[in-house]
Amino acid sequence: MVGLLRGLPARGALRGRRDRDGARAGSRRVAHERGRAGERARPADARRLARLVDLMDAVRDHDDEVLRVGAQFHGEIEALADNRWCSALLRQIRGHVDRYRALVAGRRAGTTDHVDEHRAVADAVAAGDPAAAEAAMTAHIHRSAALAEQALRDAETS
């Protein structure tokens, strides 16, 4: 089922609601903590984020490249936030997040919504506005989660 199944010893596979809820709750907390990146970014950091957004725009028709650049962007934000708790949480849910990102990437190919969402985060970070950075990241996570949920529903009915 689109790489979202979790193997269980002697019990087959499971794609539980709890997994989705846990990843979503963790992502909300991560968005809040990532707002801190807006407080810490230097001009060079803002330029690096802007370049990644421009690159994402240039490769928007190629799912694998969008995923690669998106992972770089989120890694830069994580580093700027410099929060051990947030990083530990991300390590725990990374597999889930990566599978959902891959699931959503195909739905976003050729569009600019993901570019616009990342640009809003980058702009807020560049402006030194942690509240706007948190709001932009939260909107991005919610949109991605909604697309993943729709993809799961579509996969279940096809």
Side-chain angles (χ1 to χ4, degrees), residues 3-66:
L4 295 174
L5 295 176
R6 185 168 42 113
L8 298 176
R11 285 190 278 171
L14 170 72
R15 181 189 45 80
R17 179 82 182 156
R18 191 170 63 192
D19 290 342
R20 287 184 274 181
D21 291 343
R24 206 172 18 246
S27 294
R28 283 192 296 270
R29 175 68 184 184
V30 168
H32 172 71
E33 294 297 331
R34 284 185 170 181
R36 295 179 57 189
E39 298 171 345
R40 299 173 179 267
R42 297 180 314 258
D45 300 321
R47 287 191 300 272
R48 202 166 42 255
L49 290 174
R51 280 194 302 272
L52 286 170
V53 173
D54 290 343
L55 180 57
M56 183 180 285
D57 192 23
V59 300
R60 69 176 171 245
D61 294 329
H62 307 281
D63 298 359
D64 55 340
E65 287 301 304
V66 168

Side-chain angles (χ1 to χ4, degrees), residues 2-142:
V2 199
L4 295 174
L5 295 176
R6 185 168 42 113
L8 298 176
R11 285 190 278 171
L14 170 72
R15 181 189 45 80
R17 179 82 182 156
R18 191 170 63 192
D19 290 342
R20 287 184 274 181
D21 291 343
R24 206 172 18 246
S27 294
R28 283 192 296 270
R29 175 68 184 184
V30 168
H32 172 71
E33 294 297 331
R34 284 185 170 181
R36 295 179 57 189
E39 298 171 345
R40 299 173 179 267
R42 297 180 314 258
D45 300 321
R47 287 191 300 272
R48 202 166 42 255
L49 290 174
R51 280 194 302 272
L52 286 170
V53 173
D54 290 343
L55 180 57
M56 183 180 285
D57 192 23
V59 300
R60 69 176 171 245
D61 294 329
H62 307 281
D63 298 359
D64 55 340
E65 287 301 304
V66 168
L67 286 171
R68 184 184 64 75
V69 175
Q72 282 182 280
F73 181 89
H74 286 273
E76 291 284 335
I77 295 290
E78 180 182 347
L80 286 172
D82 190 31
N83 182 296
R84 287 185 307 209
W85 182 90
C86 179
S87 293
L89 177 62
L90 282 169
R91 279 192 302 277
Q92 290 176 359
I93 64 172
R94 179 92 59 214
H96 293 295
V97 171
D98 289 345
R99 285 189 294 275
Y100 288 124
R101 280 182 183 159
L103 181 62
V104 169
R107 291 177 172 262
R108 290 186 161 188
T111 69
T112 60
D113 62 330
H114 56 293
V115 176
D116 297 338
E117 292 166 13
H118 285 89
R119 191 172 313 282
V121 173
D123 289 348
V125 168
D129 187 342
E134 178 184 348
M137 184 61 77
T138 299
H140 170 55
I141 289 169
H142 286 185

